[in-house]
Amino acid sequence: QLQLLESGGASVQAGGSLRLSCATSGDTSGIYYMGWFRQVLGKAREGLAALHNDDSTLAADSVKGRITISRDIATNTLYLQMNNLKPEDTAMYYCGAGSSRGLFTLRTSAYTIWGQGTQVTVSS
């Protein structure tokens, strides 16, 4: 019954910043971790960052140092702050949720609930 809804995507110039949001609706009691992913045509979905309920985090080498994942407990909203954006960051960005106890990874197979995505376009 849990649903995810991404927002905050936009067209920006290289070097700019964006904060993406993932709002949750429904029962989150079975979720152990959530993450941010991106995908472009012709490529597999790529894990960017993840946040566990115990506050552990993961970040992909491709964006490490430029992104920060966080959440607002009061509103059950997940965020991705992205700085120093590059044209190669252009993609559809998705948030996902996983319910596998004892598992924490950026592999897409570990996530069972997905939002519809929000488009990020970075121009040079």
Side-chain angles (χ1 to χ4, degrees):
Q1 192 173 343
L2 177 66
Q3 293 183 318
L4 308 177
L5 180 61
E6 303 93 336
S7 63
S11 296
V12 299
Q13 293 187 340
S17 299
L18 284 173
R19 188 177 74 160
L20 307 183
S21 299
C22 177
T24 62
S25 177
D27 185 11
T28 63
S29 62
I31 300 301
Y32 287 89
Y33 49 88
M34 296 184 67
W36 284 99
F37 300 75
R38 68 185 180 190
Q39 189 170 24
V40 298
L41 286 174
K43 297 185 67 176
R45 189 165 296 187
E46 175 190 15
L48 302 175
L51 178 61
H52 197 276
N53 287 348
D54 68 6
D55 293 327
S56 299
T57 61
L58 298 172
D61 289 341
S62 59
V63 296
K64 196 171 297 183
R66 300 191 295 119
I67 58 94
T68 302
I69 189 169
S70 63
R71 64 172 158 242
D72 185 330
I73 299 298
T75 61
N76 276 335
T77 302
L78 186 74
Y79 298 100
L80 184 69
Q81 177 69 43
M82 301 190 294
N83 300 321
N84 192 24
L85 287 163
K86 305 174 181 180
E88 52 263 44
D89 293 323
T90 296
M92 186 73 73
Y93 283 70
Y94 300 88
C95 64
S99 57
S100 296
R101 187 178 182 180
L103 183 64
F104 189 44
T105 177
L106 287 173
R107 294 182 63 88
T108 58
S109 60
Y111 295 78
T112 57
I113 302 174
W114 298 93
Q116 301 244 126
T118 185
Q119 179 67 38
V120 172
T121 302
V122 184
S123 59
S124 61

